[in-house]
Amino acid sequence: MKDVRRKVRRAQTIVPFGVGGIIDIRGESFVAADIRSWAVNGERVESPRLAAKLGVQGFRSAPVIPSGKAEYATRIGPTYVRFPKWLFCPQCRKMVLWRQNLEQWGKQAVCGNCSGKPQLAPMRFIQVCRQGHMADIDWRRWAHSRSEGHDQRQCRVYRLRFVATPQSSGLEALRVVCVACRAGRNLAGISQKNVLKQVGLECTGSHPWQSVSDESDPCEETPQAVQRGASNVYFPITHSALDIPAPEGVSEEDEKAREVYDHRFWPDFKSSANGPASDVFKGYIARDCDVPEEFVETLRRRNAEEAASMPSAENSDDDLSIAEWAAFSAPEAVAGSRTFSVRRTHLGVHRDDPESMQELDARISGIVVADRVREVRALEGFSRYEPNAGDGEEGTGGRVVSVNTQSRAKWLPAIDTYGEGIFISVDEQRLSTWEALPSVRDWTRRIERNLDHSFKADRLRDKSGPKLLPRFVMLHTLAHHFIRQLSYDSGYNAASLRERVYARSHAPGSELPPQAGVFIYTAAGDAEGTLGGLVRQGGPPNLVETLVRLLESAQWCSQDPLCADSTGRSLANLNRAACHACTLLPETCCEIENSLLDRTLLIGDGEIPGFFRDVVHAALEESVEAVDLP
């Protein structure tokens, strides 16, 4: 039987076990070290659009360990170090401060005192701070924090036991005791704010994987004790982009220009104008792309002129959505490739079909199925204790820690996954008319007021645009119900599907085209992402039946009327009529953390006309007529 212990899938090196993440494997606990541990062996992942957005030279994925070569994992794979270092024996309850020299390759940490050598268990609590640092709690100091006698206060012995007393329950029953002086303290109240500060513990300003030679950051934050499996220990910051090929019919010069723009030294060359390294970068790019150096210089000058003449972009997420929206809106103009193969289809509705299908067809302007699509997901960094609520390190909340804790990251860890998908665009004229209704505008403004006061405001506006439009909430809700219905109809489970919502608002005066569509796709990183179920479901007559059924099911929720009449749900009341029973999805499916959802804007109620209200009413009337009454 193969030894499957201590193995991590490549996709898990991004989320949930990326840099800074804790992984539990059969009673052992480890934390992922930064990218310096596998920089040389990383496999290159190409995504120029995402690299330009994040301001890095490129991406690399964790190297795969060849079959039968697991003994060489430490030489080529990502490094995971044992954390927490404080362990205890489940039998004798002795605590051990584990060190690197005690580690043996492929072997567990075991107790040397007990017969049978039982496996040591990691301590449940650790300390973290808002600056992203994480360390073991100084249990010796905790045990002596309520010392009574002189000998206990002066004790410096690191011989501790982690005992459980049957006289009480909960954390009061767990106690750290000094073997030498008998001082001790239970864990009651350890999670309270500032309790570690009261004990005299400070933040170490370091990360568990840092060596002795790495300098610690001076940190004045108050550390907080948390359980190592708590959700606030690790908040990864990830970004994703679809691989969109160049449009068909581009000239040879345009192809050469794109090749230059995609070169790994182009960002450095573009930012080094009039610098000493400019000619060196220009020479490398000209040689690798087989173009004259004058051509490279012309492209940089043209790029600078266009950047100066264009109004400032809202953010780089907008740039990614523009290219993807253009590719799905005009699939005929996109060159087919092995990473992006799309084709236009239709609902297959005819004049003699039921009225509900006719109403639905009038609101859907285009259907595109993606037989093959490639998505790149990159890990920028992480925060602890509180999620970062802004853009990079300037945002509020927890500080963003880079995947390279010693210097600026020139590349980021990433994975590329392949799958299939369905793109649906909504009729712009009908949508604009619906958005102009006073009741719809006022309803959305209430949600936007809550968004303005939310700690997630900056991150959510990266997706919705500077102004929250009714179309965004409606299409986002449609995407969630679409995924839930496809999990029944297509054979995929909901966690294997992901959404991309194209409904951004643009700055006033912008000439960018309006967006109104959703893309549901699979990118699971394994065989389940390419089963063909979505492509089959995206063609007639399957898709129209799926859409009608999801709209009918959106009317009902097991928590109604509490859900339907809700004036605010989830964190900061960013949802309205949406709950786990009807709309919410696994976190891996949603690009904005299950926020800005409302069934009311989708199917309507007594006061608010939903965009698909007429479709639902027609479907209900057809159902009533189909019932044979006695």
Side-chain angles (χ1 to χ4, degrees):
M1 182 176 178
K2 288 185 176 180
D3 180 14
V4 296
R5 300 180 70 255
R6 299 184 179 181
K7 291 186 178 180
V8 178
R9 295 177 60 186
R10 174 181 277 182
Q12 293 177 322
T13 60
I14 305 300
V15 174
F17 307 133
V19 175
I22 295 178
I23 175 174
D24 287 308
I25 305 179
R26 297 191 179 184
E28 295 182 288
S29 179
F30 302 91
V31 62
D34 63 6
I35 58 176
R36 292 177 296 163
S37 62
W38 53 279
V40 178
N41 301 294
E43 300 178 12
R44 185 175 295 276
V45 177
E46 300 295 337
S47 182
R49 295 171 55 243
L50 187 59
K53 168 193 170 181
L54 300 178
V56 294
Q57 295 178 0
F59 307 98
R60 298 179 190 177
S61 61
V64 175
I65 308 302
S67 178
K69 302 293 184 179
E71 62 270 19
Y72 303 109
T74 55
R75 302 180 187 176
I76 66 175
T79 299
Y80 287 80
V81 299
R82 192 179 298 276
F83 180 82
K85 295 290 192 302
W86 275 107
L87 312 173
F88 71 94
C89 175
Q91 291 186 13
C92 67
R93 312 301 294 189
K94 176 184 177 182
M95 293 179 62
V96 178
L97 182 59
W98 200 257
R99 292 178 174 83
Q100 186 63 33
N101 60 343
L102 300 176
E103 202 73 57
Q104 298 184 34
W105 170 250
K107 295 185 178 180
Q108 304 170 346
V110 297
C111 179
N113 296 333
C114 299
S115 60
K117 294 186 177 181
Q119 178 182 339
L120 297 178
M123 291 295 289
R124 184 189 304 181
F125 285 90
I126 59 175
Q127 69 176 42
V128 298
C129 79
R130 291 180 177 84
Q131 291 296 312
H133 302 125
M134 181 171 69
D136 282 88
I137 295 176
D138 188 346
W139 292 111
R140 188 205 64 81
R141 191 155 190 168
W142 176 267
H144 294 82
S145 60
R146 291 183 176 175
S147 301
E148 298 178 356
H150 175 76
D151 293 339
Q152 291 183 347
R153 288 193 292 269
Q154 298 298 321
C155 181
R156 293 294 182 268
V157 178
Y158 274 82
R159 294 171 56 195
L160 305 174
R161 294 181 70 240
F162 184 51
V163 299
T165 58
Q167 290 79 12
S168 55
S169 60
L171 293 179
E172 293 182 357
L174 302 177
R175 186 176 181 85
V176 180
V177 179
C178 176
V179 177
C181 67
R182 315 307 298 174
R185 181 177 178 178
N186 61 36
L187 301 188
I190 192 172
S191 297
Q192 294 179 0
K193 192 174 182 180
N194 295 330
V195 68
L196 296 185
K197 183 178 180 180
Q198 296 170 3
V199 176
L201 296 178
E202 298 178 351
C203 180
T204 61
S206 62
H207 305 282
W209 57 85
Q210 288 183 320
S211 62
V212 179
S213 59
D214 293 336
E215 294 184 5
S216 299
D217 298 329
C219 182
E220 298 180 357
E221 282 286 340
T222 301
Q224 303 293 335
V226 296
Q227 296 196 52
R228 57 183 171 83
S231 59
N232 62 345
V233 170
Y234 184 61
F235 296 100
I237 300 174
T238 60
H239 304 271
S240 67
L242 300 181
D243 188 1
I244 306 296
E248 289 184 338
V250 296
S251 64
E252 183 179 354
E253 181 179 344
D254 291 336
E255 292 180 355
K256 287 294 183 183
R258 176 172 289 276
E259 188 176 350
V260 171
Y261 291 147
D262 293 346
H263 195 278
R264 65 182 186 277
F265 288 149
W266 172 254
D268 297 312
F269 172 67
K270 187 173 60 173
S271 61
S272 64
N274 302 322
S278 178
D279 293 338
V280 177
F281 289 131
K282 180 167 58 176
Y284 277 123
I285 296 174
R287 183 196 64 187
D288 294 344
C289 299
D290 193 20
V291 295
E293 292 187 3
E294 293 77 10
F295 180 73
V296 180
E297 183 65 36
T298 301
L299 289 180
R300 179 171 65 176
R301 188 164 52 251
R302 183 192 307 171
N303 185 271
E305 293 173 355
E306 291 177 353
S309 61
M310 290 179 59
S312 59
E314 295 114 323
N315 54 52
S316 50
D317 275 309
D318 197 10
D319 299 333
L320 294 180
S321 68
I322 291 172
E324 294 173 8
W325 170 257
F328 287 120
S329 299
E332 303 83 4
V334 181
S337 68
R338 67 180 186 87
T339 62
F340 191 79
S341 176
V342 296
R343 52 189 171 87
R344 190 182 296 276
T345 182
H346 54 84
L347 289 177
V349 177
H350 304 286
R351 293 183 178 180
D352 55 346
D353 284 331
E355 184 183 356
S356 60
M357 295 185 179
Q358 301 284 353
E359 292 285 350
L360 180 63
D361 187 54
R363 286 162 174 76
I364 302 297
S365 61
I367 306 292
V368 175
V369 293
D371 296 286
R372 190 166 178 82
V373 65
R374 173 177 177 262
E375 182 195 31
V376 175
R377 302 175 198 164
L379 176 66
E380 181 185 13
F382 62 90
S383 60
R384 300 198 191 279
Y385 195 71
E386 289 182 352
N388 182 270
D391 186 10
E393 297 187 4
E394 301 299 326
T396 59
R399 180 178 71 92
V400 175
V401 180
S402 173
V403 291
N404 188 335
T405 54
Q406 289 302 112
S407 61
R408 178 182 176 274
K410 296 183 179 180
W411 59 272
L412 299 177
I415 57 168
D416 56 347
T417 55
Y418 294 85
E420 55 177 337
I422 306 174
F423 172 79
I424 298 178
S425 60
V426 178
D427 183 75
E428 179 62 33
Q429 182 176 356
R430 285 179 176 267
L431 187 61
S432 300
T433 303
W434 172 76
E435 282 187 311
L437 297 175
S439 58
V440 173
R441 293 200 312 269
D442 294 341
W443 187 258
T444 309
R445 286 197 193 102
R446 300 174 189 175
I447 303 177
E448 188 169 24
R449 282 196 291 268
N450 291 337
L451 175 61
D452 292 335
H453 295 89
S454 169
F455 71 95
K456 299 194 295 184
D458 294 337
R459 187 162 62 253
L460 294 180
R461 291 202 185 277
D462 283 346
K463 299 297 183 181
S464 68
K467 182 180 180 181
L468 181 64
L469 299 177
R471 68 176 64 194
F472 186 90
V473 181
M474 185 273 293
L475 288 173
H476 188 210
T477 310
L478 173 65
H480 276 234
H481 283 273
F482 198 10
I483 289 176
R484 293 172 72 98
Q485 188 63 42
L486 284 173
S487 67
Y488 297 108
D489 297 343
S490 68
Y492 289 106
N493 64 70
S496 298
L497 303 178
R498 292 168 64 90
E499 67 172 12
R500 295 185 86 86
V501 180
Y502 302 98
R504 295 184 55 86
S505 60
H506 301 303
S510 173
E511 297 181 358
L512 296 173
Q515 302 175 0
V518 296
F519 180 52
I520 308 301
Y521 64 102
T522 65
D526 55 15
E528 191 170 354
T530 55
L531 295 178
L534 285 192
V535 172
R536 177 183 178 275
Q537 206 63 30
N542 299 323
L543 183 58
V544 64
E545 296 175 358
T546 297
L547 292 175
V548 171
R549 279 197 294 267
L550 78 85
L551 292 174
E552 289 178 334
S553 64
Q555 299 178 93
W556 313 106
C557 175
S558 60
Q559 296 195 27
D560 282 342
L562 294 178
C563 179
D565 296 340
S566 173
T567 57
R569 283 175 171 264
S570 78
L571 291 175
N573 293 328
L574 295 179
N575 291 338
R576 289 297 188 267
C579 68
H580 283 284
C582 61
T583 306
L584 303 190
L585 293 172
E587 292 292 343
T588 55
C589 303
C590 182
E591 59 180 355
I592 55 172
E593 305 168 359
N594 278 323
S595 300
L596 304 180
L597 296 164
D598 186 9
R599 288 185 294 134
T600 303
L601 294 178
L602 185 66
I603 49 99
D605 61 6
E607 301 178 1
I608 311 299
F611 182 74
F612 291 97
R613 181 180 60 179
D614 294 341
V615 179
V616 175
H617 288 177
L620 290 176
E621 292 177 359
E622 293 162 6
S623 300
V624 172
E625 294 174 358
V627 176
D628 295 329
L629 298 177

